[in-house]
Amino acid sequence: MLQVSTVAELRAAVAGLARPVGLVPTMGALHAGHMSLVRQAREDNASVVATIFVNPTQFAPTDDLARYPRPLVEDLALFAAEQVDVVFTPDVGEMYGADFATTVRVDGPTRGFEGDERPGHFDGVATVVTKLLLQSQADVAYFGRKDAQQAAVIRRLVRDLDIPARVEILPTIREYDGLAVSSRNVYLAPEERAAAPALFLALSAMRDRFHSGVQDATELTAGVRVLLARQPLVGAIEYVALVDADTFAAWSGRGACLLIAAVRVGSVRLIDNVVLD
Ligand code: AMP
């Protein structure tokens, strides 16, 4: 596995790779969710490029940028074990020169939910993902459905900007008790960790109701709230909604839909979703 940290080195390395090239963008602190993306990329492509970049522009000033875990040595070993060909580990200066002046701003699926709760977040994500796709010139890029709104934003920008890459969205990897695997789960105190699966369990219960014929958004979202309220360690509920999987507008009753939610457990923000179609 070759590790490179400049765009010029990345371009040179990719030029020597067999096509197709699969790209797995990450912020490091790798876990089973990331590894599922890498394995799928390995299975689908002749070559795999992975990236580790904790992108400061997608964190709000009050966010957890400073405490975001950065276990680089362990991360490199995990990628190497999955036969990643090239890992790109740029620093902030390489990605954003002092006179950097461009933002990729996606409308539509950025409205509401994470877009409201985390102002500027999707501008940061859209800009960095656009850069990574252009820098790597990958044929296929892999993202997780755990961040479903981000996935919709990336699909849209790739389509709107005619970026010649295919976007693959892969299922959420979960702990044994249903909690979506996340780099932030380590910040949960033991009793909070024990309470955290309530989010997925509430969403799953309402997925079952949906499949039994209850397709009313108000009833399903209220059901999630009632179930979450039974768990005292689940704090503020930021949102619960039934949305169109592509547009993130309220579900119209047709097409793929997601039941999405974000809650606080202790100091940690948990987001999750289930596919209802
Ligand atoms: P991050 O390092 O948090 O930016 O995540 C990098 C990629 O891994 C994104 O495409 C995420 O959606 C994906 N990802 C994070 N957690 C999971 C998970 N539990 N299951 C599947 N994919 C995930």
Side-chain angles (χ1 to χ4, degrees):
M1 184 175 80
L2 184 63
Q3 185 190 354
V4 297
S5 52
T6 69
V7 176
E9 288 168 340
L10 175 63
R11 285 255 165 80
V14 172
L17 294 178
R19 295 265 163 193
V21 171
L23 176 73
V24 181
T26 81
M27 298 202 300
L30 301 178
H31 53 58
H34 300 111
M35 300 330 281
S36 77
L37 304 182
V38 171
R39 285 189 199 121
Q40 190 66 50
R42 185 71 274 173
E43 206 172 303
D44 295 350
N45 298 279
S47 308
V48 177
V49 175
T51 73
I52 300 175
F53 179 59
V54 182
N55 178 33
T57 68
Q58 70 189 70
F59 288 78
T62 51
D63 264 357
D64 52 357
L65 174 64
R67 73 167 184 172
Y68 202 84
R70 290 170 168 81
L72 182 63
V73 173
E74 291 85 343
D75 286 351
L76 293 175
L78 287 167
F79 278 150
E82 297 297 333
Q83 274 97 48
V84 167
D85 297 286
V86 177
V87 60
F88 180 44
T89 55
D91 63 18
V92 174
E94 179 68 13
M95 291 296 267
Y96 304 110
D99 56 354
F100 193 85
T102 303
T103 298
V104 177
R105 177 164 300 150
V106 179
D107 199 355
T110 58
R111 289 203 197 139
F113 318 112
E114 296 301 295
D116 284 351
E117 300 291 339
R118 305 181 69 187
H121 172 68
F122 284 129
D123 288 355
V125 169
T127 305
V128 81
V129 169
T130 302
K131 283 172 68 69
L132 292 169
L133 288 167
L134 298 175
Q135 290 163 344
S136 67
Q137 305 184 14
D139 300 293
V140 196
Y142 295 82
F143 299 91
R145 185 167 295 125
K146 152 122 187 330
D147 302 287
Q149 194 172 7
Q150 167 177 287
V153 170
I154 292 167
R155 275 198 309 247
R156 182 64 60 90
L157 81 85
V158 164
R159 201 177 81 194
D160 287 353
L161 298 180
D162 305 306
I163 295 176
R166 198 174 84 230
V167 175
E168 291 284 348
I169 308 301
L170 302 188
T172 302
I173 302 299
R174 299 182 179 283
E175 303 284 0
Y176 68 96
D177 55 5
L179 175 65
V181 176
S182 165
S183 315
R184 293 177 169 103
N185 292 349
V186 296
Y187 301 126
L188 294 165
E191 63 280 12
E192 294 166 351
R193 172 64 190 80
L199 176 56
F200 176 62
L201 297 178
L203 292 170
S204 302
M206 290 307 118
R207 176 178 55 194
D208 294 346
R209 288 205 76 175
F210 180 90
H211 288 138
S212 70
V214 177
Q215 306 206 336
D216 176 65
T218 312
E219 200 171 330
L220 294 170
T221 55
V224 172
R225 286 177 183 277
V226 165
L227 291 172
L228 288 173
R230 287 188 195 158
Q231 177 47 262
L233 287 180
V234 172
I237 300 173
E238 290 185 358
Y239 59 77
V240 183
L242 186 64
V243 297
D244 181 287
D246 288 322
T247 63
F248 266 69
W251 188 54
S252 66
R254 288 158 138 231
C257 69
L258 301 172
L259 187 57
I260 62 171
V263 299
R264 295 258 170 197
V265 176
S267 66
V268 181
R269 235 184 131 244
L270 299 178
I271 65 169
D272 206 343
N273 65 82
V274 292
V275 183
L276 294 191
D277 56 338

